[in-house]
Amino acid sequence: MTIDDLQDFVVLYQTRNVSDAAVELMMTQSALSKRIQAMENELSAKLISTKNKRHLVITESGETFFRYAETILTQYQLLTNELAEYRELKKGTLHIGSVPVMSQYGLMEKTSRFMADYPQINIRLEELEGDELLDMLQTKQLDLGVLRNMQSQLLNKSQFQFIDIDKDELKVILPVTHPLAKQKRISMSDLHDVDVVSLNPGSGIYEQVGKLYQQAGFTPNIRFTTTHIETLLGIIEKSERVTFLFEKSAEPFMTAQFVSRSFETPIYNKLQLVYPQGELTQAGRRFVKYIVSGTKR
């Protein structure tokens, strides 16, 4: 007995008519009848009764056979789906875009673990500024994106899936010699007339800091912008300038020459994994599990 035999019987059971079932199965009535008869002979049980020419009757044995046939067919479909997923995992490339924070948040370790477990899946990682990352996600040039929710909130929520993977606090970073370094918290009024250096526009931080200053009613005096955190710290060292960074992003670059201070009202932001709804490959889904949990599923 084959899977096709089980499928044929299920269709016959559902239609209760040999002619209609044969049409649906694209075979002759004679061929279907012979197949059912062969199944009955193999099982030594009568599955249907055709005494009533107008109405096919399913026997008690046929009812039992149908229940098991449905279970077997469901399991068979799950089996073929899972095998297809594993075939897909044997090769391919995941194209990922990220704001430049993968190492600071432990994501490279998880990515490395994924690559070790799936050696045929290649990773193409592009570290991008937020605006470029958003554009590439919207134009479907990326499988996945890693960005902060202050950036991802600009995406259409009905078209993308958003998964929180970490939380971080926006800090004021100052030279240890800065007059404000003596304070435990910094208010926006404290920053009035203080020279600012910042990550570039599109970084998310630049835009959030601009909004904070706007809400405080004055304009930041941004003297310098760059894409590199270590450059920012070099510019503020032994000066009275300040910069703004997320705590975990800044941590690897902090030395005894600098201190970080919370805002008077602490500001938090989430790091998110973002991908288009319904378009993630099996390899992409498996990668998401590694990033979210750090363990193989």
Side-chain angles (χ1 to χ4, degrees):
M1 195 177 304
T2 68
I3 290 294
D4 286 342
D5 292 332
L6 300 181
Q7 291 172 330
D8 291 347
F9 183 79
V10 168
V11 171
L12 179 61
Y13 180 95
Q14 292 169 337
T15 60
R16 306 297 174 103
N17 185 288
V18 175
S19 177
D20 291 345
V23 170
E24 186 171 335
L25 293 166
M26 293 185 290
M27 61 195 304
T28 65
Q29 292 183 49
S30 174
L32 178 58
S33 296
K34 288 179 180 178
R35 181 166 287 185
I36 298 300
Q37 187 175 7
M39 293 165 65
E40 290 176 329
N41 292 338
E42 183 178 340
L43 295 165
S44 298
K46 197 71 175 171
L47 300 178
I48 64 171
S49 172
T50 55
K51 289 181 181 179
N52 185 332
K53 299 298 181 183
R54 289 188 168 186
H55 184 67
L56 180 147
V57 175
I58 305 295
T59 66
E60 187 174 347
S61 294
E63 291 286 351
T64 300
F65 182 78
F66 170 74
R67 291 199 306 273
Y68 280 96
E70 270 205 319
T71 300
I72 292 168
L73 290 172
T74 298
Q75 293 299 314
Y76 179 75
Q77 187 61 55
L78 291 172
L79 168 65
T80 55
N81 288 345
E82 188 164 344
L83 289 176
E85 289 178 350
Y86 277 110
R87 285 196 299 273
E88 187 180 337
L89 285 169
K90 285 184 178 178
K91 60 180 180 179
T93 299
L94 275 177
H95 190 185
I96 301 168
S98 174
V99 289
V101 296
M102 294 285 282
S103 295
Q104 292 96 313
Y105 292 88
L107 302 183
M108 292 313 303
E109 180 184 348
K110 295 177 180 181
T111 300
S112 179
R113 191 180 305 129
F114 174 86
M115 292 173 66
D117 289 337
Y118 298 99
Q120 302 306 314
I121 303 296
N122 298 322
I123 304 289
R124 179 186 171 194
L125 175 65
E126 292 193 56
E127 293 188 307
L128 307 163
E129 294 301 329
D131 51 356
E132 187 177 2
L133 184 50
L134 289 173
D135 181 65
M136 292 185 73
L137 279 167
Q138 289 171 322
T139 53
K140 298 182 179 179
Q141 297 178 59
L142 297 171
D143 296 309
L144 295 152
V146 178
L147 63 165
R148 300 190 187 280
N149 69 319
M150 61 189 177
Q151 299 160 320
S152 64
Q153 65 186 359
L154 300 175
L155 293 170
N156 189 321
K157 287 181 172 53
S158 66
Q159 295 178 2
F160 290 89
Q161 182 72 34
F162 305 86
I163 300 176
D164 296 341
I165 53 178
D166 212 329
K167 183 181 179 181
D168 207 350
E169 183 182 355
L170 184 64
K171 296 274 197 170
V172 184
I173 309 297
L174 318 95
V176 70
T177 55
H178 198 288
L180 294 176
K182 298 175 183 178
Q183 299 181 195
K184 290 185 177 180
R185 293 184 180 273
I186 306 292
S187 69
M188 289 306 299
S189 60
D190 292 330
L191 296 172
H192 200 285
D193 296 328
V194 174
D195 286 350
V196 171
V197 302
S198 172
L199 291 175
N200 280 347
S203 62
I205 288 180
Y206 183 95
E207 287 75 16
Q208 183 153 358
V209 168
K211 183 182 292 187
L212 289 172
Y213 274 84
Q214 184 180 30
Q215 291 169 348
F218 55 95
T219 303
N221 186 25
I222 299 178
R223 301 288 314 281
F224 180 88
T225 61
T226 180
T227 58
H228 299 292
I229 291 176
E230 59 269 40
T231 305
L232 285 181
L233 296 182
I235 289 293
I236 69 170
E237 187 175 1
K238 297 178 181 177
S239 76
E240 293 195 0
R241 307 181 193 103
V242 303
T243 191
F244 307 95
L245 295 169
F246 284 100
E247 186 171 22
K248 292 179 184 178
S249 297
E251 196 171 73
F253 307 98
M254 294 290 284
T255 68
Q257 302 302 314
F258 306 98
V259 295
S260 66
R261 296 290 182 258
S262 296
F263 282 92
E264 195 168 51
T265 301
I267 298 169
Y268 294 95
N269 203 256
K270 294 175 181 177
L271 191 68
Q272 293 184 319
L273 197 58
V274 180
Y275 53 91
Q277 290 274 19
E279 295 187 21
L280 200 58
T281 64
Q282 174 60 15
R285 290 193 292 274
R286 195 63 58 90
F287 180 81
V288 168
K289 289 183 178 180
Y290 273 64
I291 293 299
V292 172
S293 67
T295 58
K296 188 177 179 181
R297 296 289 181 87

